[in-house]
Amino acid sequence: MLLHIPNVLNATELKSLQELMAKAEWVDGKVTAGTQSAQVKRNMQLPEESSSAEAARKIVLQALSRNALFFSAVLPKKIFPPLFNQYRDGMDFGAHIDNAVRTHALSGNHVRTDVSSTLFIAPPESYDGGELVIEDTYGVQSVKLAAGDMVVYPGTSLHHVKPVTKGARIACFFWTQSMIRDDAKRTLLFDMDAAISTLRQQHGDTSAVVRLTGNYHNLIRMWSDV
Ligand code: NI
């Protein structure tokens, strides 16, 4: 499932992130790439241990923690500490699939990359190109979102970032290990959760709604690894 989550960041958070990114020092993005993707990766990243990255990560994690849509769609178990990248002057990232497991350099913790997320920080009108192109089961999706919006998609997807020919594309990206490993099961649970919420709004907590909510939780109990 590929999902667009609007307004993940509020205006204050977005402004703080844009300011942090503007004065941060950037390094070659190959530092976090696997052997295959290093050959096709041409961008810049914030060093993970830098104080700007640390401050920016805090803002993003805070925003994620209150986002009900992210929770319902991803059912997060572990989030890899968010990273930040910048593409400019023709930089791009050729087709690749992200590494299956990321090991956090500082903590040594492993995260299976069930879900990939890109949170857009630079406004789309400030740069040309830079579309994130994702091969979804339903075809190829080209994604370039408003600043503060996020796309989540299965970590199993082949994807690339088109060259940025003008301005700078600045974004945050990270991976999540879900309580539900399988994308099809996660998608089913997400649809079910949305339908139950609608039913609850329309009819209140009828006995059927209570039963369906129980079924939702029982499916999570059956499928989750926590
Ligand atoms: Ni990638």
Side-chain angles (χ1 to χ4, degrees):
M1 169 184 51
L2 186 149
L3 180 73
H4 170 189
I5 305 181
N7 303 314
V8 170
L9 302 170
N10 64 34
T12 315
E13 290 164 338
L14 180 59
K15 191 161 175 280
S16 306
L17 280 179
Q18 287 171 338
E19 284 170 2
L20 279 166
M21 300 295 120
K23 55 179 191 219
E25 293 202 16
W26 297 80
V27 296
D28 191 319
K30 292 195 199 315
V31 285
T32 56
T35 322
Q36 188 267 327
S37 51
Q39 293 170 34
V40 290
K41 186 178 190 184
R42 284 168 290 270
N43 68 3
M44 295 184 291
Q45 270 177 220
L46 283 193
E48 281 178 64
E49 67 287 356
S50 67
S51 57
S52 8
E54 196 182 326
R57 267 198 303 272
K58 246 185 215 161
I59 294 172
V60 172
L61 289 171
Q62 173 73 33
L64 289 177
S65 71
R66 60 164 193 262
N67 196 294
L69 201 52
F70 174 74
F71 187 85
S72 174
V74 177
L75 295 169
K77 177 181 175 184
K78 285 193 267 182
I79 299 177
F80 189 88
L83 298 164
F84 300 86
N85 61 15
Q86 172 168 193
Y87 295 78
R88 61 190 315 149
D89 308 317
M91 292 176 185
D92 68 345
F93 198 159
H96 66 282
I97 290 177
D98 297 338
N99 286 4
V101 175
R102 308 294 311 204
T103 303
H104 187 229
L106 306 176
S107 64
N109 288 336
H110 304 296
V111 173
R112 191 183 61 228
T113 58
D114 297 324
V115 181
S116 298
S117 304
T118 296
L119 170 61
F120 290 76
I121 296 174
E125 59 278 11
S126 70
Y127 59 97
D128 287 349
E131 292 85 357
L132 170 62
V133 181
I134 303 163
E135 279 190 23
D136 189 39
T137 28
Y138 298 107
V140 176
Q141 313 277 336
S142 180
V143 182
K144 182 169 175 173
L145 301 178
D149 285 15
M150 185 164 82
V151 62
V152 299
Y153 58 99
T156 48
S157 321
L158 189 67
H159 58 281
H160 66 273
V161 176
K162 286 192 176 173
V164 172
T165 53
K166 202 186 90 187
R169 174 201 194 267
I170 297 173
C172 167
F173 66 103
F174 59 92
W175 299 276
T176 306
Q177 180 168 335
S178 176
M179 292 185 276
I180 309 294
R181 180 182 196 146
D182 182 65
D183 180 60
K185 288 177 181 162
R186 238 180 4 252
T187 304
L188 186 154
L189 287 167
F190 176 64
D191 286 343
M192 192 175 176
D193 191 23
I196 291 170
S197 295
T198 308
L199 280 177
R200 177 172 290 123
Q201 279 160 24
Q202 289 170 345
H203 305 287
D205 276 321
T206 62
S207 62
V209 167
V210 170
R211 286 253 279 280
L212 277 174
T213 306
N215 289 350
Y216 169 79
H217 287 288
N218 286 337
L219 283 173
I220 292 186
R221 209 184 320 275
M222 193 182 293
W223 291 340
S224 60
D225 63 87
V226 289

